[in-house]
Amino acid sequence: MRSFMVLSSLARLASLAVLAACTSTPVPETQVTADTAAKTTPFEAASHLWLEEVEGADALAWVTAQNARTLGELEADPRYAGFEAAALQVLNSSERIPYGSVRDGYVYNFWQDEVNVRGLWRRTTAASYRTQAPAWETILDFDKLAADEGKNWVFKGADCFRPEAGAKYSCLLSLSDGGKDAVVNREFDIDTKSFVDGGFVTAEAKQGLAWAGADTLLIATDWGAGTVTESGYPFVVKRWTRGAPPESAAEVIRGKMTDVGVWPMVMKLDDGRVLQGAVQAETFFTSKYFWLPDGEEGAVQWPIPLKSSPKGIYKGQFLFSLEQDWTPEGLGAFKAGDLVAFELEAFLSTRTLPSVSLVFRPTETQAVDGVAVAKGAALLAISDNVVGKVLRLEPSANGWTTTPVDLPGAGQVSIAFSDEEETAVFLNYEDFLTPSSLLDYDIATGAVTTIKSLPAKFDTAGLKVGQFFATSKDGTKVPYFIIHRADMKLDGTTPTLLYGYGGFQVSMTPAYSAVMGRNWLVQGGAYVMANIRGGGEFGPNWHQAGLKLNRQRIYDDFIAVGEDLVTRKVTAPEHLGIMGGSNGGLLMGVMLNQRPDLWRAVVVQVPLLDMLRYHLLLAGASWVDEYGSPDLPEERAFLETISPYQNFDPSKDYPVPFFVTSTKDDRVHPGHARKLAKRFEEAGLPFYYFENMDGGHAAAADQTARAKRSALEYTYLARQLTGRPD
């Protein structure tokens, strides 16, 4: 167990998801009652709500027909087979870095390939891990488990607790049926490689668990009627003792149904103490953190701002980042984006805010990406003009010092592994044209060495990367990266794919994509990544500039990047395509309506599209802090101006869109994509539609499904943007 753990903190969920947004349990919003109908237009209530019935017979019949039509056309394209084969070769290749977690001299890894479709949980010794061919020991085969139990199990991770050095680990495995966010947790014995007879087992739900001791869990889950929020998250945390039925667990903290959710939180200190607690997310971006002192009733709230995020404990200092300006009484002023700290024991003894120190203040072009605490070191990952850097942090009598860590280049760096109980620290480096390298950071010397690096998976000869700035409608300079052939002619003929997200403070950073490289760059296309507002590239203010009524700024930024590409004659509208997923899928829907003339291809992945009902569907209620509430007149009035579903106009000359979603997505409701696609169908306008029956919010549960989805998308893009239908 990591000694600092905040399970399922909402602000962090946004950054963990590949297609970010949040999770929820299904609720009966698909039943059209007088209340729900009043919140829709008569058109919606009369015609399309049946498509929100996820497993409804009529809805699935429509989905099946659309899938058959789309697959029949795209798979028949002679390019499809090559795209799929190229993607499969990458995704199933054994030449992948086996990222893992270190525990007591072993490295634990989850691995999928063409043979192990659902994957293996395995381990090897730390020494073997550093060799070219580690000797892996299989702990659990999920394909076999799924076959034995008749389930489509998707592994969602392991949470292990060791009470003291050398003692036996207790592990909880999270398993999802079909890739949903809802999981079951089951206790597993690593030594016997079997589930623990009579061990902890939870019912399927959106849940959070934390080890409070070897025989005690803090658990937040669906306890029955009236125990989940309007967003479908749990808001009651209980303490559950080994051997007792879950219904006997004692309640330790309760939130409100109007919260986003409440989850367990624990901190394991250097002396072995485990501080029990919880995080109450009142909104998506505001949370209260609580400590539950041993032997006492009631909770003690941590004295930190609502918009802040705990980062860990280092040398007795409690580190947290700020997403808002903060002036604690008598302690000076801090800015949104700052990393700050105070002495933990001082708070535990007085239960009031101690003196707060500034650890790191980003410049206008920087942002704090993350903090990693290992046994003997603390590292800070930052973004500097959308380029990753790592700094080592140390407290001193004169304040905190930072020392740069040497990295291979100007790309993306992330902290792949650290744990307060381990001295191992792994970093990952990559950029658009450089495959990932796993780096070892030596705490004692500060040296960085390469443990593993991937060979090139596509030909980068003749390719170059550039960073440019577009000017948005309000004068803001918006950066974007472009990867293209060095000899690209500026004549407007280059097929160009523009990707964007713009929400939830999620940053878009340089990353190596062999699938995109093979199926797009090598084919002569250019790829563009837009760093529009709403993301976290320049800290909290860059994100907050596009919240709620200011969201049009995000869309203006994206349009500005598209127009800049045309102005610079990189491409032209007939060769320009765009792509985005989840919140980025909403961006795509807005772009369909606001600038249908600027693009010829639009890939709309697992999208939000009905912004007048999104808060009634699955986790939608948790996102009102980002988008605004359709129940508030002023915010509804704005949402009416951008909502892709309501703003569809059958008389417009739309580009042919491609909608991609998943039946098993219990995060963003598939009804969004279904309903807008249905409007295209009713208007007699061409569109493509593919709904994977498994896969959750990623729209794919295994490598084969990922390759298929990718091949469909690139086939569509090639047909639309190269001027050659086949």
Side-chain angles (χ1 to χ4, degrees), residues 548-592:
K548 295 187 176 182
L549 301 181
N550 293 319
R551 200 156 199 86
Q552 185 58 45
R553 292 172 178 169
I554 295 170
Y555 307 135
D556 291 342
D557 287 359
F558 193 80
I559 290 169
V561 173
E563 289 179 334
D564 198 60
L565 293 168
V566 174
T567 299
R568 293 179 51 241
K569 295 187 178 180
V570 170
T571 191
E574 58 266 32
H575 301 296
L576 178 56
I578 57 178
M579 176 188 287
S582 192
N583 171 73
L586 168 60
L587 171 66
M588 296 300 103
V590 174
M591 292 302 100
L592 269 172

Coordinates of all heavy atoms in Angstrom, one line a residue, residues 548-592:
K548 N -17.8 26.7 -17.1 CA -19.2 27.1 -17.2 C -19.5 28.1 -18.3 O -19.4 27.8 -19.4 CB -19.7 27.6 -15.8 CG -19.7 26.5 -14.7 CD -20.2 27.0 -13.4 CE -20.3 25.9 -12.4 NZ -20.9 26.4 -11.1
L549 N -19.9 29.3 -17.9 CA -20.3 30.3 -18.8 C -19.2 30.8 -19.7 O -19.4 31.5 -20.7 CB -21.0 31.5 -18.1 CG -22.2 31.2 -17.3 CD1 -22.7 32.5 -16.6 CD2 -23.3 30.6 -18.1
N550 N -18.0 30.5 -19.3 CA -16.8 30.9 -20.1 C -16.3 29.8 -21.1 O -15.3 29.9 -21.7 CB -15.6 31.3 -19.2 CG -15.9 32.5 -18.4 OD1 -16.5 33.5 -18.9 ND2 -15.6 32.5 -17.1
R551 N -17.1 28.7 -21.2 CA -16.7 27.6 -22.0 C -16.5 27.9 -23.5 O -15.7 27.2 -24.1 CB -17.6 26.4 -21.8 CG -17.0 25.1 -22.1 CD -17.6 23.9 -21.5 NE -16.7 22.8 -21.5 CZ -15.8 22.6 -20.6 NH1 -15.6 23.4 -19.5 NH2 -15.0 21.5 -20.6
Q552 N -17.1 28.9 -24.0 CA -16.9 29.2 -25.4 C -15.5 29.5 -25.7 O -15.0 29.3 -26.8 CB -17.8 30.4 -25.8 CG -17.8 30.7 -27.3 CD -18.2 29.5 -28.2 OE1 -19.2 28.8 -27.9 NE2 -17.4 29.3 -29.2
R553 N -14.7 30.0 -24.7 CA -13.3 30.3 -24.9 C -12.6 29.0 -25.4 O -11.7 29.1 -26.2 CB -12.7 30.8 -23.6 CG -13.1 32.2 -23.1 CD -12.6 32.5 -21.8 NE -13.0 33.8 -21.3 CZ -12.8 34.2 -20.1 NH1 -12.3 33.4 -19.2 NH2 -13.2 35.4 -19.7
I554 N -12.9 27.9 -24.8 CA -12.3 26.6 -25.2 C -12.5 26.3 -26.6 O -11.6 26.0 -27.4 CB -12.8 25.5 -24.3 CG1 -12.4 25.7 -22.8 CG2 -12.3 24.1 -24.8 CD1 -13.0 24.8 -21.8
Y555 N -13.8 26.5 -27.0 CA -14.1 26.2 -28.4 C -13.5 27.3 -29.4 O -13.1 26.9 -30.5 CB -15.6 26.2 -28.5 CG -16.3 25.2 -27.5 CD1 -17.4 25.6 -26.8 CD2 -15.7 24.0 -27.3 CE1 -17.9 24.7 -25.9 CE2 -16.2 23.1 -26.4 CZ -17.3 23.5 -25.6 OH -17.9 22.6 -24.7
D556 N -13.4 28.5 -28.9 CA -12.7 29.5 -29.8 C -11.3 29.2 -29.9 O -10.7 29.4 -31.0 CB -12.9 30.9 -29.1 CG -14.3 31.4 -29.2 OD1 -15.1 30.9 -30.0 OD2 -14.6 32.4 -28.4
D557 N -10.6 28.7 -28.9 CA -9.2 28.3 -28.9 C -9.0 27.2 -30.0 O -8.1 27.3 -30.8 CB -8.7 27.7 -27.6 CG -8.6 28.8 -26.5 OD1 -8.8 30.0 -26.8 OD2 -8.2 28.4 -25.4
F558 N -9.9 26.2 -30.0 CA -9.7 25.1 -30.9 C -10.0 25.5 -32.3 O -9.2 25.2 -33.3 CB -10.7 24.0 -30.6 CG -10.5 22.7 -31.2 CD1 -9.5 21.8 -30.8 CD2 -11.2 22.3 -32.4 CE1 -9.2 20.6 -31.4 CE2 -10.9 21.1 -33.0 CZ -9.9 20.2 -32.5
I559 N -11.0 26.4 -32.5 CA -11.2 26.9 -33.9 C -10.0 27.7 -34.3 O -9.6 27.7 -35.5 CB -12.5 27.8 -33.8 CG1 -13.7 26.9 -33.7 CG2 -12.6 28.6 -35.1 CD1 -15.0 27.7 -33.4
A560 N -9.4 28.5 -33.4 CA -8.3 29.3 -33.8 C -7.1 28.5 -34.3 O -6.4 28.8 -35.2 CB -7.8 30.2 -32.6
V561 N -6.9 27.3 -33.6 CA -5.8 26.4 -34.0 C -6.1 25.9 -35.4 O -5.3 25.9 -36.3 CB -5.6 25.3 -33.1 CG1 -4.6 24.2 -33.6 CG2 -5.1 25.8 -31.7
G562 N -7.4 25.5 -35.7 CA -7.8 25.0 -37.0 C -7.6 26.1 -38.1 O -7.0 25.8 -39.2
E563 N -8.0 27.3 -37.7 CA -7.8 28.4 -38.7 C -6.4 28.7 -39.0 O -6.0 29.0 -40.1 CB -8.6 29.6 -38.2 CG -10.1 29.5 -38.2 CD -10.8 30.7 -37.7 OE1 -10.2 31.4 -36.9 OE2 -12.0 30.9 -38.1
D564 N -5.5 28.6 -37.9 CA -4.1 28.9 -38.1 C -3.5 27.9 -39.0 O -2.6 28.2 -39.8 CB -3.4 28.9 -36.7 CG -2.1 29.5 -36.7 OD1 -2.0 30.8 -37.0 OD2 -1.1 28.9 -36.4
L565 N -3.9 26.6 -38.9 CA -3.3 25.6 -39.8 C -3.7 25.9 -41.3 O -2.9 25.7 -42.2 CB -3.9 24.2 -39.4 CG -3.4 23.6 -38.1 CD1 -4.2 22.4 -37.7 CD2 -1.9 23.3 -38.1
V566 N -4.9 26.4 -41.5 CA -5.3 26.8 -42.8 C -4.6 28.0 -43.3 O -4.1 28.1 -44.4 CB -6.8 26.9 -42.9 CG1 -7.3 27.5 -44.2 CG2 -7.6 25.6 -42.6
T567 N -4.5 29.0 -42.4 CA -3.8 30.2 -42.8 C -2.3 30.0 -43.1 O -1.8 30.6 -44.1 CB -3.9 31.3 -41.6 OG1 -5.2 31.6 -41.3 CG2 -3.1 32.5 -41.9
R568 N -1.7 29.1 -42.4 CA -0.3 28.8 -42.6 C -0.1 27.8 -43.8 O 1.0 27.5 -44.2 CB 0.4 28.2 -41.4 CG 0.5 29.2 -40.3 CD 1.1 28.6 -39.0 NE 2.4 27.9 -39.3 CZ 2.6 26.6 -39.2 NH1 1.7 25.8 -38.7 NH2 3.8 26.1 -39.5
K569 N -1.3 27.4 -44.4 CA -1.3 26.5 -45.6 C -0.7 25.2 -45.3 O -0.2 24.5 -46.2 CB -0.7 27.2 -46.8 CG -1.4 28.4 -47.3 CD -0.8 29.0 -48.6 CE -1.6 30.2 -49.0 NZ -1.0 30.7 -50.3
V570 N -0.8 24.8 -44.0 CA -0.5 23.4 -43.7 C -1.5 22.5 -44.3 O -1.1 21.4 -44.9 CB -0.4 23.2 -42.2 CG1 -0.4 21.7 -41.8 CG2 0.7 23.9 -41.5
T571 N -2.7 22.9 -44.3 CA -3.8 22.1 -44.8 C -4.9 23.0 -45.3 O -4.8 24.2 -45.3 CB -4.3 21.1 -43.7 OG1 -5.2 20.1 -44.3 CG2 -5.0 21.8 -42.6
A572 N -6.0 22.4 -45.6 CA -7.2 23.2 -46.0 C -8.4 22.4 -45.5 O -8.3 21.2 -45.1 CB -7.3 23.3 -47.6
P573 N -9.6 23.0 -45.3 CA -10.7 22.4 -44.7 C -11.0 21.0 -45.3 O -11.4 20.1 -44.6 CB -11.9 23.4 -45.0 CG -11.2 24.7 -44.9 CD -9.9 24.5 -45.6
E574 N -10.8 20.8 -46.6 CA -11.2 19.5 -47.2 C -10.2 18.5 -46.8 O -10.4 17.3 -47.1 CB -11.2 19.7 -48.8 CG -10.0 20.2 -49.4 CD -10.0 21.7 -49.6 OE1 -10.6 22.4 -48.8 OE2 -9.4 22.1 -50.7
H575 N -9.1 18.8 -46.2 CA -8.1 17.9 -45.8 C -7.9 17.9 -44.3 O -6.9 17.3 -43.8 CB -6.7 18.1 -46.5 CG -6.8 18.0 -47.9 ND1 -7.1 16.9 -48.6 CD2 -6.6 19.0 -48.9 CE1 -7.1 17.1 -49.9 NE2 -6.8 18.4 -50.1
L576 N -8.7 18.6 -43.5 CA -8.5 18.7 -42.1 C -9.6 17.9 -41.3 O -10.8 18.1 -41.5 CB -8.7 20.2 -41.7 CG -8.5 20.6 -40.2 CD1 -7.2 20.0 -39.6 CD2 -8.7 22.1 -40.0
G577 N -9.1 17.0 -40.5 CA -10.0 16.2 -39.6 C -9.7 16.5 -38.1 O -8.6 16.9 -37.8
I578 N -10.7 16.2 -37.3 CA -10.5 16.5 -35.9 C -11.0 15.2 -35.1 O -11.8 14.5 -35.5 CB -11.3 17.7 -35.4 CG1 -12.7 17.6 -35.7 CG2 -10.6 19.0 -36.0 CD1 -13.6 18.8 -35.2
M579 N -10.4 15.1 -33.9 CA -10.7 13.9 -33.0 C -10.7 14.3 -31.6 O -9.9 15.1 -31.2 CB -9.7 12.8 -33.3 CG -9.9 11.6 -32.4 SD -8.5 10.4 -32.6 CE -8.9 9.7 -34.3
G580 N -11.6 13.7 -30.8 CA -11.6 14.0 -29.3 C -12.5 13.0 -28.7 O -13.5 12.5 -29.3
G581 N -12.2 12.7 -27.4 CA -13.0 11.7 -26.7 C -13.5 12.2 -25.3 O -12.9 13.0 -24.7
S582 N -14.7 11.8 -24.9 CA -15.3 12.1 -23.7 C -15.6 13.6 -23.6 O -16.4 14.1 -24.4 CB -14.5 11.7 -22.5 OG -15.2 11.8 -21.3
N583 N -15.0 14.4 -22.7 CA -15.1 15.8 -22.8 C -14.6 16.3 -24.2 O -15.2 17.3 -24.8 CB -14.3 16.5 -21.7 CG -14.2 18.0 -21.9 OD1 -15.2 18.7 -21.6 ND2 -13.0 18.5 -22.2
G584 N -13.6 15.7 -24.7 CA -13.2 16.0 -26.1 C -14.2 15.6 -27.1 O -14.3 16.2 -28.2
G585 N -15.1 14.6 -26.8 CA -16.2 14.3 -27.7 C -17.2 15.4 -27.7 O -17.8 15.7 -28.8
L586 N -17.4 16.0 -26.6 CA -18.3 17.2 -26.6 C -17.7 18.3 -27.4 O -18.4 18.9 -28.2 CB -18.4 17.7 -25.1 CG -19.1 19.1 -24.9 CD1 -20.5 19.1 -25.5 CD2 -19.1 19.5 -23.5
L587 N -16.4 18.5 -27.3 CA -15.7 19.5 -28.2 C -16.0 19.2 -29.6 O -16.2 20.1 -30.4 CB -14.2 19.4 -27.9 CG -13.3 20.2 -28.8 CD1 -13.5 21.7 -28.7 CD2 -11.8 19.9 -28.4
M588 N -15.9 17.9 -30.0 CA -16.1 17.5 -31.4 C -17.6 17.8 -31.8 O -17.8 18.3 -32.9 CB -15.9 16.0 -31.6 CG -14.4 15.6 -31.4 SD -13.2 16.4 -32.4 CE -12.5 17.6 -31.3
G589 N -18.5 17.6 -30.9 CA -19.9 17.9 -31.2 C -20.1 19.3 -31.4 O -20.9 19.8 -32.3
V590 N -19.5 20.1 -30.6 CA -19.6 21.6 -30.7 C -19.0 22.1 -32.1 O -19.6 22.9 -32.8 CB -19.0 22.3 -29.5 CG1 -19.0 23.8 -29.8 CG2 -19.7 22.0 -28.2
M591 N -17.9 21.5 -32.4 CA -17.2 21.9 -33.7 C -18.1 21.5 -34.9 O -18.0 22.2 -35.9 CB -15.8 21.2 -33.7 CG -14.8 21.7 -32.7 SD -14.5 23.5 -32.8 CE -15.6 24.1 -31.5
L592 N -18.8 20.4 -34.8 CA -19.7 20.0 -35.9 C -20.7 21.1 -36.1 O -20.9 21.5 -37.3 CB -20.5 18.7 -35.5 CG -19.9 17.4 -35.9 CD1 -20.7 16.3 -35.3 CD2 -19.9 17.3 -37.5

